[in-house]
Each structure stands twice: as C-alpha cells, then as structure tokens.
Amino acid sequence: MKSHAKAVVIGGGVVGCSVLYHLARAGWTDVMLIERSELTSGSSWHAAGGFHTLNGDPNVAKLQAYTVQLYKELEELSGQSCSLHLTGGVMLADSPERMDFLRLAHAKGRYLGMDTELITPSEAKAMFPLMDESHFVGAMWDPVEGHLDPSCTTHAYAKAARKLGAEIVLRNRVVDLTQEPDGTWNVVTEQGTVKAEHVVNCGGLWAREVGRMVGVELPLLAMEHMYLLTEPMPEVEAFNKETGREMVGVLDFKGEIYTRQERNGVLLGTYEKACKPWSPVNTPWDFGHELLIPDLDRIAPSLEVGFRHFPGIANAGIKQVINGPFTFAPDGNPLVGPVQGLTNFWCACAVMAGFSQGGGVGLALSNWMVNGDPGFDVWGMDVARFGEWASLRYTNAKVRENYSRRFSIRFPNEELPAARPAQTTPLYDTMVASNAVMGDSWGLETPLWFAPKGTEPKDIVSFHRSNDFGPIGEEVRAVRERVGVTEIANFAKYEVSGPGAEAFLNRLMTNRMPKVGRIVLTPMLNEFGKLIGDFTIAHAGDDRFMVWSSSAAQKYHMRWFEKHLPGDGSVRIHRFDQTLVGLSIAGPKAQALLQKLVDVDVSSKAFRFMDFREMAVGGAPAMVNRITYTGDLGYEIWMQPAYQRLVYKAIKEAGAEFGIVDFGMRALLSMRLEKNFPTWFRELRPIYGPFEGGMERFVRLEKNDFIGRDAAAKELEAGPKLKRVSFVVDALDADVMGDEPIWAKVSTDYGTVEKPHGYGAPRFDAKGKEVRVSAADEGASSVRGIVDGDWRVVGWVTSGGYAHYVGQSMAQGYVPAALAGNESDGLFEIEILGKRRPARIKIEPLFDPGGERMRG
Ligand SMILES: Cc1cc2nc3c(=O)[nH]c(=O)nc-3n(C[C@H](O)[C@H](O)[C@H](O)COP(=O)(O)OP(=O)(O)OC[C@H]3O[C@@H](n4cnc5c(N)ncnc54)[C@H](O)[C@@H]3O)c2cc1C
C-alpha cells in the first residue's frame, strides 16, 4: 500500500468503485480505494440489480440515464461483463390519479430525452404475461430499464479504474481520519496511514461511522429490504420460447412491487408499509457478506395485492427470500459533494439505487473534485441540502416515511407529516390557532395558507386545483386591495462584516454593493458563469452587510462563502438561521400601517423603495427592508425571535383599521407570478446563465472582477441560448406544477431539448411482437415524442400556478431565446396532465408593470 495519494476513496461498493473509476478517467490516476473487506461487502452484493432512468428530479434522471449508458463502455474498457439485460420496463397505473402521475412523468421525459410511451394494460400484458390486466387503467413503457449482475458491475468499475492506474487495497479498514494544519488528510488504516489531499466517504452501510470520524452526522439510515426468487415457471419458459425474448420489468405502484424475470422464474421485491430500519444508530463493523432473516409477514399485505395482480406468480414456488440492508437519505436521493465546514472531505453515500445512479454519482463527484464543479445541476443529491435539523431521529422518521411511500404519489400540494414539527417560530401556536395549513420549509414550520374558520386546516391533495384555491384568492385580493402580514422566517439570513466585507461581496456577487442604508438584488455565479445564488443585500453600516437568500440553500451557500473567504481574517460571516425571524407586511395600506408602528418618518420620501433602516417596530428593535416579494408596496421586518410575538400583535392591532389579513407562502408565490419574479431552485439554478435567467439588470460586468464575470461576458456576447419567460396559460382545472414540456408551432429545431434515446432497446406492439430491435432505428425515431406535425417541444416549465389577482393561470419556463420575444397567440402550448393547453408569452408583468406600487 502506498503512503500518499491525491485522493483516497473509502469503500469498495458499487459507488466507491464508480467514484474511483471516474476520478482516474478524469486524470487523477494517483487515487486509491480502501475496502474493509472484499469489494461489494456492503449492500452491493445482494442487490436485485435493477436499473431505470425515471426519477422525480429531472436532473437526477439525467444522471441515471448516464449510468445506464455507461455500462456498455465499462464492459469494453474493463473486459468484464456486467451481465446486462436491457429488457425495458412498464409502470402500471391502477387509478386515474396514478395515470395522471404517469402522464406527468411521460411529459417530463419528452424534454429529458427519455423515450417513454403511454400504453394500455393489454399492451403491458403482452410484455409481461403473468399479470391480470383488469386491475389496471394504463401503463407507461420505458425502454431504458433492465437488470444486471451487481457483483460483476462493481468489479467492472474496479477493473476499469485499475487499468487507468488506480490502486485498490482490500481487507483494510479505515479506522480514523485526522487533518494536518495544511489540510492534508491522514487516513489511518489497519495497515498504516495514507496521506491524502482528498478523502471520499463511500462507506455505504458504514457511511455514518466514516462521517463521525470527522465529526459529521450524515442524515442516512439503512432499511431492511426483501425480494424473493421463484422456482422455474412454465409460463416464463413458454413466453421466452414463443417470443424469443425475456419478459420486461414491471413496477406495480398499488402492490408496492417490482418484478421481473430472473433466469426462468421471476424476482419480486416490495417496499412494504411496515418497513424496518436496520442498525438505527451504529452499523457493526463485523457485518459482512451476510443476509438478514426474512420476515414474510411484514411483506404479506403487498404480496397479497401482488399475487392478485400477477396470478401467474401466485402459483409459483418460492426458491429463496433475500433480506438485506441498504441506505437512504430522508428524501431518498443520494448525499453527494463536499461537506460544508470541512476542506476536501467529500461524500458519495446514501445511494439507494446504486445500479441506476452509481455512474452519475461518480461522474458528478469526480467533475466536482477535479474541475471544482459537478458539471450538472446536482442540487437534488447535494449533501448540503440538509440542515442541522436532520438529526439521527429526524432521519429515522423521514427515511421510514420515504421508504413506505416509495411507490405512493406525492401530489404537488402535499406536505408529508413525519418528523414534524421540527423547528417552529414563536408564532407557531398563533398561526395554528388561526387555522393555518403549515408546511415544512427547510425544517421550519411555515404557514402556507389559512383555511376558513370552521373548516379543517388541511390540503385535499390533488394534481388539480384544490381546497386552497378559494382561500388563497381571498388572501391575495386582501393584500392587493388592503394589507396583509406573513411570516418570512424561512429565508436564509447572514451578516457579512469586517474590513474586507465589501470587497468580498463584490468579488462574489454580480451587482455592485449598495451605499449604507440601501439594498441591492444580486445573483451569484460560479466560475462557469452559471447561477448559484440570488441574494438581497443591505449595507447595514460601516463594514456590515445583511444578506438574505433562499432558506434551503444555506449550507450550499455557506460552503461557497467559506471556500472564498480571504485567509487574513478580514471577513466574518454569521449565519442566523432561526436566531433572526421576520414578518412581511404588504399592500397599498402597508405604509400607513408601518407609520403607526414606528416613531420615525417612513413616508416614501424619507424611506424609499430599496432602503434599509434599523428602527423600533411596535416597540421592538428591528431591521426593516423596504421591499417585498409580493411586488407590492411593502416591508420586511427582521427581529430576534423574542420580539416576534410583540411585533406581530402590534401589526395586527394597528392593521385592524385597514382590514389586515394573514397570508401564507402560497399567496406570496401567487403574487410573484403576476410580477414575473423568479424563484431560486426553480427558475434560477446552476444550469442557467444570468442572461438566460433574465437577471441582466443585476449584472454589472463593468465593475470589479467578480467570479464568473468572463463567462457571463461571453454569454452576453454570444447571446443566451435560452430565455426565461412568463406565460399565461389557458388552463382548465389544473395549473402547471413544473417540468411540463413547452410546445411551439415552429419548423426550426433549436436544439434546446434532448433527443429521445432508446439506446436501441426493444419495442413491442400490443401482441408482444418486437417492432424495434436496434440502435439503427434511432435515426428514424429520433424525434418521436418531441415533434408532432407542425409542433415541437422547445422548452420546459420551471414553475407556475394561478395568479389570483389578475385571474390568470401562469407559468414560467425556458424557451429558445429566438422565441422569447414573441407574444403571439397560437405559438405555444403547455402540456398539463397530458393535455396541451394554449399559452402566450407575457413580457411585461400582468400586475403593476411599471412598478409604481412597489415604489409607492
Ligand atoms: C435487497 C436489496 C435489493 C436491492 N436492489 C437494488 C436494485 O435492484 N437496483 C439498485 O440500483 N440498487 C438496489 N439495491 C441498493 C444497492 O445495493 C445500493 O444502492 C448500493 O449497494 C450502494 O452501494 P454503496 O457502494 O454506496 O454501498 P455499499 O455496497 O454498502 O459499500 C460500502 C463499502 O464500504 C466499505 N467500508 C465502509 N466503511 C469502511 C471503512 N471504514 N474502511 C474501509 N471500507 C469501508 C464496506 O465494506 C462496503 O464494501 C438493493 C439493496 C438491497 C439490500
């Protein structure tokens, strides 16, 4: 074993081996993988080996598509077969809601390059004859699904990495990690210490233990998971003989079951409701190539449904039941990236679908380590997306919820209950008493909307407009016509101070820093000129700036700030989290209301739009920003939590004469739609440039040399490829939810959406006859799904909903820049739940286009 390496990867499961391979492929050949036992000794060896592309997050779906594509290349490079079976798969819908879910997934697949197709239950049966089609209303076919041999695949990564120069050390546990003052890691192993610049935690079942070596409690938990293998089945053998091919994979949401052919029988696995964590606090180091005791009673309810849906399987003999543990993060997606607060300590763990995601995780992480950027939008798997509230117990509750809902529909207006409330503001009880429907905003309870008195404060979950529609409309109209108050504690808040603070912020942000007492809005870019943040910054006093941004991005942003902090101690950053809370008042009477609460002049002359001032509000020391996300006359008032009840009470009492109402996050989001305001993580993400995102007003290329300036200048010079636009949509009873394809009546291929890629997967007709067999057909079918007569998919929706004050259904999304200025009727359609609805671009906001209301 060598004593130095550029990077040490801890763990030889499929993820560690993929990371090692990708690092070596990216040019870091001085890399080493250290494995406690043999390769695959964690969860990798007993996986069912299934893979698919579909994921709720389109960006994670892309990385899954990459993983599947990689296998052929990997086999060639390593000389090791992965035993790939690219059978394709069907997802079965048993209800209209599930069919809506499939329609959404299919529509999303259009711009992601997925080649899915909605089919009938009989067509599905032609591919999987063991099912009883009478239980289903429809299905979705995905040609890019299949299964492989988990052990062979892990070894294929390892062999390919070795060929590129990487070293793999087996039977050697990493027992400790320490760091030298110069940042060098000491990787202390049973066989000695290795010095490394970078350490990657790919510890799988032991990733928590590896995290604890550096003082980090990673939010992941292993769950027991069972699948069974049947004896050979004559029906399977007959199908294979008759058609000359293997049966496809099947996902039955209702039965919480996945099943597929395995040799001449089937494999059937289930994500049961009565799920069970494994080793909830510590994973024993001596757990090896062993299985857990099966517990068929636990999965009996799923099996009962499954056997009804697949009577062919009910009669088969069970050969073996596998029960093994594997890890999940609270939301089921991996934990990838550098850990905030540490230098060069990386994670690639909680990968619950290593054979769908392992390749993409390896690619993104290696890009990140070698080039400083993952090269993709990996927010959905970024380890920074969880805050301190994601404790061991939080994780336990959420992982169990996530596991037991793995095949349940998550509706766009659905808030999940586990591990809540986690954090609350002092107003929590007041909000609940006011009939607020609360939501979870980065671990903080936040009012979403207020149910009418006498009704249950609860969302009726749906893909369509629901019971919040009327009350949100009332809240919006009350704000726009009178005044409203809402909690805004769910923003990120920082103080950046010290003699170097202004220069530091000027280096990070695209906008020039404001004068004392003034506020600016500013994006933040990475070196590649892509959007990595959107901030409101107030110059609070000499060398002191108050900074606000998206709550969920707190760790993500702190990681970036820390990376760029000058080493001379001239800049201090304080993250307030919930030690600073806020209330926002907005509406035409907001100024008169504020005036009643303060002892200074807050007229529009004395306290202008985009001013910042410290003042006592309702008797409490506060910081006040003259700005709100409603796009109306309004203020954000920030205070210590101890004063929040006092300020709220004062606002409500003083506001009574103006008819003040409480409004929630959903009304706020509705109001921002009619102002064309973007949101972070929907419209603004690291895949877009500032000019694509319509942020040009906040980019000062002529100021000092900020990070990403050259790339942004190039984007401007070349002209952005895409443009963010707002649409009015002729929606029926459902508004856009995000990720819908945007169709345009154009003959030009703008190259803005991916071409469907079936990877030469087989396709079958309703009789089970294969109609496409090879990649040679790709040319002919390359536009299938994204071109329809005169129409073609040119872009995608990022978010939207109903803009209640202007009474229009609205959407925001990205389209080719050449189309972004065209407000014509009949040019665009947006696909909502499988139906294409006419849509028109609106360049000017529908509410107060001149901004007179905001300026007051
Ligand atoms: C029953 C079952 C069925 C599954 N089916 C599928 C499926 O069909 N498709 C799919 O994609 N996924 C499936 N999975 C999940 C899949 O197994 C995991 O996603 C995958 O194994 C995760 O790999 P990993 O490399 O992250 O972790 P692991 O496989 O757990 O590997 C971690 C490795 O790190 C080593 N290690 C840990 N700590 C140290 C240390 N301190 N020093 C040295 N070495 C260390 C361990 O020995 C281990 O080898 C299934 C899992 C189970 C249990």
Side-chain angles (χ1 to χ4, degrees):
M1 184 175 78
K2 56 187 182 185
S3 56
H4 287 78
K6 176 109 181 146
V8 167
V9 176
I10 304 173
V14 63
V15 175
C17 291
S18 169
V19 168
L20 189 76
Y21 163 68
H22 281 92
L23 282 174
R25 196 180 74 173
W28 281 18
T29 48
D30 177 20
V31 285
M32 192 175 184
L33 183 148
I34 303 181
E35 164 55 46
R36 176 189 71 97
S37 176
E38 304 295 333
L39 295 182
T40 77
S41 291
S43 52
S44 295
W45 72 276
H46 52 231
F51 59 79
H52 56 268
T53 328
L54 199 76
N55 188 290
D57 181 327
N59 298 294
V60 179
K62 277 187 193 173
L63 289 172
Q64 294 190 185
Y66 164 80
T67 303
V68 181
Q69 254 172 329
L70 179 70
Y71 288 131
K72 282 181 190 154
E73 172 190 326
L74 201 61
E75 286 184 329
E76 277 162 27
L77 264 168
S78 64
Q80 163 76 57
S81 163
C82 298
S83 197
L84 272 187
H85 295 243
L86 196 58
T87 58
V90 289
M91 297 184 180
L92 301 174
D94 66 294
S95 66
E97 287 77 27
R98 181 55 76 178
M99 206 53 220
D100 275 347
F101 169 86
L102 292 183
R103 280 190 194 102
L104 281 170
H106 172 61
K108 193 188 294 183
R110 288 192 203 282
Y111 74 79
L112 284 175
M114 290 174 67
D115 202 8
T116 56
E117 198 178 323
L118 297 175
I119 60 173
T120 64
S122 329
E123 286 174 306
K125 187 180 168 79
M127 305 179 205
F128 195 82
L130 306 177
M131 67 182 259
D132 174 354
E133 73 271 35
S134 70
H135 295 289
F136 302 101
V137 298
M140 186 172 87
W141 160 249
D142 181 0
V144 192
E145 281 191 31
H147 58 101
L148 44 66
D149 183 306
S151 178
C152 293
T153 303
T154 307
H155 279 94
Y157 278 120
K159 280 186 185 167
R162 275 201 192 102
K163 277 195 174 168
L164 294 170
E167 183 178 339
I168 296 180
V169 181
L170 300 177
R171 295 173 291 283
N172 184 25
R173 181 155 72 90
V174 173
V175 292
D176 200 7
L177 291 164
T178 60
Q179 203 169 18
E180 301 288 342
D182 71 352
T184 305
W185 286 101
N186 297 312
V187 183
V188 185
T189 79
E190 290 169 334
Q191 295 173 20
T193 296
V194 184
K195 299 251 178 219
E197 271 177 54
H198 299 262
V199 169
V200 191
N201 178 0
C202 296
L205 294 175
W206 295 267
R208 281 176 313 185
E209 278 69 18
V210 175
R212 286 172 194 154
M213 291 177 193
V214 294
V216 171
E217 188 62 50
L218 288 165
L220 60 92
L221 175 69
M223 300 294 287
E224 292 193 13
H225 182 70
M226 279 178 269
Y227 64 83
L228 53 88
L229 298 161
T230 71
E231 299 286 359
M233 294 171 60
E235 301 93 319
V236 175
E237 285 165 350
F239 177 85
N240 296 159
K241 204 165 157 203
E242 219 172 275
T243 62
R245 61 183 167 79
E246 193 176 338
M247 293 190 319
V248 301
V250 168
L251 215 154
D252 170 14
F253 296 100
K254 175 77 178 171
E256 294 152 346
I257 273 174
Y258 61 88
T259 180
R260 63 165 170 85
Q261 183 172 343
E262 173 69 19
R263 299 179 191 273
N264 41 8
V266 299
L267 176 155
L268 184 149
T270 168
Y271 282 81
E272 68 281 7
K273 289 267 178 278
C275 55
K276 191 172 167 201
W278 178 76
S279 288
V281 180
N282 299 302
T283 306
W285 286 111
D286 58 358
F287 183 78
H289 257 66
E290 45 196 295
L291 289 171
L292 310 173
I293 298 167
D295 178 0
L296 284 179
D297 283 351
R298 228 175 52 228
I299 59 171
S302 298
L303 290 184
E304 270 169 35
V305 183
F307 290 157
R308 266 204 315 279
H309 288 181
F310 305 98
I313 303 178
N315 304 324
I318 296 178
K319 188 168 70 178
Q320 194 186 0
V321 181
I322 307 280
N323 184 10
F326 67 120
T327 54
F328 295 77
D331 59 3
N333 273 331
L335 298 173
V336 179
V339 174
Q340 189 247 319
L342 298 172
T343 46
N344 295 342
F345 183 83
W346 305 80
C347 263
C349 44
V351 184
M352 63 78 56
F355 299 93
S356 296
Q357 300 175 328
V361 165
L363 176 67
L365 192 75
S366 61
N367 280 341
W368 215 335
M369 293 174 70
V370 175
N371 308 324
D373 185 87
F376 301 90
D377 185 342
V378 295
W379 170 248
M381 359 190 248
D382 194 327
V383 61
R385 72 189 183 279
F386 293 104
E388 295 77 3
W389 37 268
S391 62
L392 210 53
R393 286 180 188 210
Y394 170 93
T395 302
N396 191 303
K398 271 293 177 209
V399 168
R400 281 187 286 124
E401 178 184 67
N402 186 271
Y403 184 100
S404 66
R405 292 181 43 95
R406 171 114 173 91
F407 291 148
S408 306
I409 297 172
R410 170 93 188 252
F411 290 93
N413 63 340
E414 185 166 12
E415 292 285 325
L416 300 179
R420 291 179 53 204
Q423 298 174 85
T424 56
T425 68
L427 284 179
Y428 175 73
D429 295 334
T430 310
M431 293 296 143
V432 170
S434 303
N435 234 17
V437 177
M438 304 298 284
D440 172 8
S441 175
W442 211 61
L444 177 73
E445 292 299 315
T446 303
L448 298 177
W449 60 283
F450 292 82
K453 287 213 166 44
T455 63
E456 194 187 355
K458 195 176 166 194
D459 278 308
I460 297 174
V461 295
S462 173
F463 288 120
H464 299 255
R465 290 178 193 155
S466 188
N467 59 327
D468 61 348
F469 190 81
I472 293 174
E474 296 292 318
E475 290 170 29
V476 167
R477 283 184 289 276
V479 172
R480 291 280 190 237
E481 287 158 15
R482 307 191 303 272
V483 64
V485 57
T486 191
E487 270 214 274
I488 48 169
N490 63 330
F491 285 24
K493 323 102 191 168
Y494 316 84
E495 184 186 72
V496 180
S497 60
E502 181 156 3
F504 170 73
L505 288 170
N506 264 322
R507 169 95 183 110
L508 259 58
M509 305 293 165
T510 62
N511 209 342
R512 199 172 277 124
M513 286 306 105
K515 293 195 171 71
V516 174
R518 294 289 290 159
I519 294 170
V520 290
L521 303 179
T522 175
M524 182 165 79
L525 306 180
N526 62 16
E527 287 91 347
F528 306 96
K530 298 294 181 194
L531 289 162
I532 56 165
D534 181 34
F535 296 87
T536 301
I537 301 185
H539 199 154
D542 289 344
D543 298 342
R544 190 166 78 86
F545 292 82
M546 287 299 301
V547 178
W548 291 269
S549 186
S550 161
S551 174
Q554 294 187 43
K555 291 213 144 195
Y556 174 85
H557 285 148
M558 278 304 286
R559 192 171 61 194
W560 188 260
F561 294 160
E562 283 166 3
K563 185 173 168 187
H564 294 283
L565 265 184
D568 58 7
S570 62
V571 182
R572 289 179 302 279
I573 301 179
H574 174 66
R575 174 162 78 95
F576 290 92
D577 207 359
Q578 293 315 320
T579 61
L580 188 69
V581 295
L583 289 163
S584 175
I585 54 172
K589 299 289 180 201
Q591 193 170 77
L593 170 59
L594 183 67
Q595 192 62 75
K596 285 180 72 182
L597 298 165
V598 299
D599 304 313
V600 293
D601 180 5
V602 289
S603 66
S604 289
K605 264 200 186 134
F607 191 40
R608 295 161 301 166
F609 178 59
M610 302 289 275
D611 269 356
F612 164 92
R613 190 83 41 88
E614 293 183 73
M615 58 179 90
V617 179
M623 291 180 274
V624 184
N625 291 341
R626 214 200 115 172
I627 185 172
T628 88
Y629 195 46
T630 59
D632 217 311
L633 173 63
Y635 306 86
E636 290 173 358
I637 305 163
W638 298 97
M639 69 224 70
Q640 287 173 21
Y643 293 112
Q644 198 193 20
R645 289 160 70 106
L646 175 72
V647 178
Y648 177 74
K649 189 163 170 276
I651 288 174
K652 287 300 285 276
E653 280 172 9
E657 72 167 282
F658 306 112
I660 193 167
V661 296
D662 288 300
F663 68 101
M665 259 314 120
R666 290 193 187 156
L668 185 66
L669 289 174
S670 167
M671 286 185 268
R672 68 97 195 179
L673 280 176
E674 52 203 25
K675 286 295 293 179
N676 292 0
F677 288 167
T679 48
W680 179 249
F681 284 138
R682 299 299 310 187
E683 283 71 42
L684 308 179
R685 294 188 68 124
I687 42 178
Y688 306 118
F691 300 103
E692 289 182 325
M695 305 298 282
E696 44 275 355
R697 278 184 302 146
F698 312 117
V699 180
R700 303 264 179 267
L701 290 174
E702 74 289 354
K703 73 170 192 124
N704 61 303
D705 183 17
F706 59 87
I707 296 172
R709 187 182 70 169
D710 292 351
K714 277 194 191 125
E715 187 200 338
L716 183 64
E717 199 186 316
K721 191 174 169 192
L722 294 166
K723 259 304 201 184
R724 173 174 66 87
V725 287
S726 284
F727 288 97
V728 163
V729 191
D730 295 345
L732 298 171
D733 69 333
D735 304 300
V736 298
M737 289 155 243
D739 296 325
E740 290 84 356
I742 300 173
W743 294 81
K745 196 170 180 183
V746 288
S747 50
T748 315
D749 177 0
Y750 291 96
T752 43
V753 298
E754 302 212 6
K755 299 287 177 292
H757 37 63
Y759 309 103
R763 178 171 299 283
F764 311 109
D765 66 16
K767 295 197 181 76
K769 191 166 161 283
E770 196 162 326
V771 293
R772 196 175 81 185
V773 289
S774 76
D777 292 312
E778 292 289 283
S781 63
S782 66
V783 290
R784 220 178 57 84
I786 56 167
V787 174
D788 177 14
D790 293 346
W791 293 82
R792 63 173 64 227
V793 176
V794 294
W796 53 89
V797 169
T798 45
S799 73
Y802 197 76
H804 285 270
Y805 191 65
V806 297
Q808 300 277 6
S809 182
M810 295 196 73
Q812 287 194 31
Y814 281 85
V815 296
L819 298 177
N822 194 330
E823 294 186 298
S824 315
D825 273 338
L827 179 61
F828 292 102
E829 288 180 350
I830 294 180
E831 191 169 337
I832 303 179
L833 294 173
K835 295 206 173 61
R836 278 159 47 186
R837 304 296 312 155
R840 290 164 301 286
I841 288 182
K842 289 285 170 196
I843 295 169
E844 290 293 326
L846 292 185
F847 175 74
D848 189 24
E852 282 95 19
R853 282 280 282 258
M854 291 190 297
R855 285 177 184 84

